[in-house]
């Protein structure tokens, strides 16, 4: 009986089913759209999900947005005031403690404290001081110094654990990082002192130079920028730099390396270098 009825009313059943599915789809779509308001001033509305895309507007604090889609931390939004659409960095638009967004605010930055865990890195002459200890301390201080900018900061490690070398570049690749900075302290079989900055791919050269310029006021001699085929630089398509912040097996350099004041100075200068780099390389309305 049911089968006979279905066959005789097949067209009606199909139409009813299509209407029900369409209605459910619309309801789900409406529910999934979230309203939000920009918290800081100067939030950039871009044509795509990344700071490299063209900016079409600077949004004031309190601008109402409808979230249409999400991609890699960026929101595809529609403005409620003029119905125009675009993309905003979610961590910028939603930043509670940021009053005015800058070019640095939109950046995704990976901080990579070299070595860790069973991989101690280089050692001091007496074997007492380990590179892994000071790379982590320095990276944490850089993160703290960057926090007021509103930038999205990612760490390859935040404790004394080892991260497989081949996995380090994957963090920047996954989040489409605008800058990846690896922190290290050098060692040499001959007497050597000073700091150095390295890159591998062409897209890391300007970043390396900006950081090098900002580090010229360090108490140790700046040996300058050079290229090197380190895996953390070579195996990524994102702009990447490795900073050697002194020779840990040189007692003169070690005196500085161990000081929190020296690590804080590195952090301050790195922020200054990043600010210069992103200001020069980011279109803002």
């Amino acid at each position: 009986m049911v089968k006979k009825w279905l066959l005789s009313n097949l067209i009606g059943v199909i139409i009813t089913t299509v209407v029900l599915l369409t209605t459910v789809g619309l309801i789900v779509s409406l529910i999934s759209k979230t309203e939000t308001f920009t918290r800081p001033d100067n939030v950039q509305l871009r044509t795509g999900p990344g700071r490299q895309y063209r900016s079409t507007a600077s949004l004031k604090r309190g601008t109402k947005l409808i979230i249409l889609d999400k991609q890699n931390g960026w929101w595809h939004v529609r403005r409620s005031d003029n119905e125009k659409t675009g993309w905003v960095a979610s961590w910028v638009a939603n930043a509670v403690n940021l009053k005015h967004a800058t070019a640095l605010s939109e950046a995704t930055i990976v901080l990579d404290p070299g070595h860790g865990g069973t991989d101690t890195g280089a050692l001091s002459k007496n074997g007492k001081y380990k590179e892994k200890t000071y790379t982590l301390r320095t990276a944490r201080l850089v993160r703290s110094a960057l926090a007021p900018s509103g930038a999205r900061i990612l760490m390859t490690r935040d404790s004394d654990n080892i991260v497989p070398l081949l996995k380090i570049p994957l963090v920047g690749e996954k989040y489409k990082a605008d800058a990846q900075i690896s922190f290290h302290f050098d060692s040499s079989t001959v007497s050597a002192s000073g700091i150095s900055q390295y890159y591998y791919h062409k897209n890391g050269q300007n970043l390396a130079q900006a950081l090098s310029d900002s580090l010229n006021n360090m108490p140790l001699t700046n040996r300058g920028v050079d290229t090197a085929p380190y895996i953390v630089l070579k195996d990524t398509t994102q702009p990447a730099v490795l900073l050697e912040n002194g020779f840990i097996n040189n007692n003169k350099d070690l005196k500085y390396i161990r000081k929190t004041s020296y690590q804080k100075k590195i952090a301050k200068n790195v922020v200054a270098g990043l600010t210069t780099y992103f200001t020069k390389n980011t279109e803002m309305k």
Side-chain angles (χ1 to χ4, degrees):
M1 181 67 71
V2 174
K3 183 177 181 181
K4 183 177 180 181
W5 182 88
L6 287 173
L7 290 173
S8 61
N9 294 277
L10 183 59
I11 295 177
V13 171
I14 292 174
I15 293 174
T16 301
T17 302
V18 170
V19 170
L20 285 172
L21 289 174
T22 302
T23 302
V24 170
L26 287 171
I27 292 173
V28 171
S29 177
L30 288 171
I31 291 174
S32 64
K33 292 179 181 178
T34 307
E35 293 183 354
T36 189
F37 294 86
T38 54
R39 295 179 182 272
D41 285 320
N42 202 37
V43 175
Q44 299 298 299
L45 185 70
R46 299 193 177 276
T47 58
R51 48 166 287 280
Q52 72 274 19
Y53 289 91
R54 183 173 60 88
S55 176
T56 60
S58 171
L59 306 182
K60 294 181 179 180
R61 176 184 176 87
T63 302
K64 185 178 179 180
L65 303 172
I66 308 299
I67 301 174
L68 307 174
D69 193 12
K70 299 178 180 180
Q71 184 176 324
N72 191 35
W74 287 76
W75 289 340
H76 188 207
V77 299
R78 183 175 70 244
R79 298 177 61 171
S80 63
D81 55 351
N82 60 16
E83 297 299 309
K84 291 184 178 180
T85 62
W87 293 81
V88 297
S90 63
W91 61 92
V92 179
N94 204 35
V96 177
N97 299 317
L98 185 65
K99 291 184 178 181
H100 185 86
T102 66
L104 181 55
S105 303
E106 284 187 303
T108 295
I109 301 169
V110 175
L111 303 180
D112 170 39
H115 310 286
T118 55
D119 177 11
T120 64
L123 300 173
S124 60
K125 280 186 176 180
N126 61 10
K128 183 178 179 180
Y129 302 103
K130 304 170 184 177
E131 182 182 3
K132 68 172 185 176
T133 302
Y134 301 101
T135 59
L136 182 56
R137 290 180 184 177
T138 302
R140 284 174 172 170
L141 288 170
V142 173
R143 178 178 60 185
S144 296
L146 278 169
S149 73
R152 179 167 62 164
I153 311 301
L154 306 168
M155 300 274 286
T156 58
R157 71 179 178 99
D158 196 16
S159 60
D160 185 19
N161 65 291
I162 186 170
V163 180
L165 195 56
L166 292 175
K167 287 189 175 182
I168 291 173
L170 299 182
V171 179
E173 293 294 305
K174 178 180 178 181
Y175 292 96
K176 306 299 181 186
D178 299 293
Q180 175 184 298
I181 306 174
S182 295
F183 296 90
H184 286 264
F185 291 94
D186 224 332
S187 180
S188 177
T189 55
V190 298
S191 179
S193 172
I195 62 175
S196 304
Q197 305 81 40
Y198 296 95
Y199 71 96
Y200 182 77
H201 295 295
K202 186 71 175 178
N203 64 359
Q205 184 175 9
N206 289 339
L207 175 60
Q209 191 60 58
L211 292 173
S212 180
D213 291 344
S214 72
L215 290 164
N216 276 330
N217 65 353
M218 296 298 292
L220 297 179
T221 300
N222 189 349
R223 297 157 65 98
V225 175
D226 202 353
T227 58
Y230 298 129
I231 287 176
V232 294
L233 303 178
K234 185 167 62 73
D235 288 8
T236 179
T237 61
Q238 310 307 122
V241 172
L242 186 146
L243 304 180
E244 293 282 8
N245 296 293
F247 284 78
I248 198 169
N249 69 339
N250 178 311
N251 288 334
K252 171 194 168 185
D253 288 19
L254 180 61
K255 287 180 181 179
Y256 288 109
I257 291 169
R258 292 179 57 201
K259 292 179 179 179
T260 301
S261 59
Y262 179 79
Q263 298 155 24
K264 286 184 175 180
K265 193 171 183 66
I266 293 172
K268 181 180 179 180
N269 288 335
V270 166
V271 172
L274 288 172
T275 300
T276 299
Y277 172 76
F278 285 113
T279 299
K280 287 183 178 180
N281 296 281
T282 307
E283 179 199 358
M284 303 280 284
K285 285 291 184 181

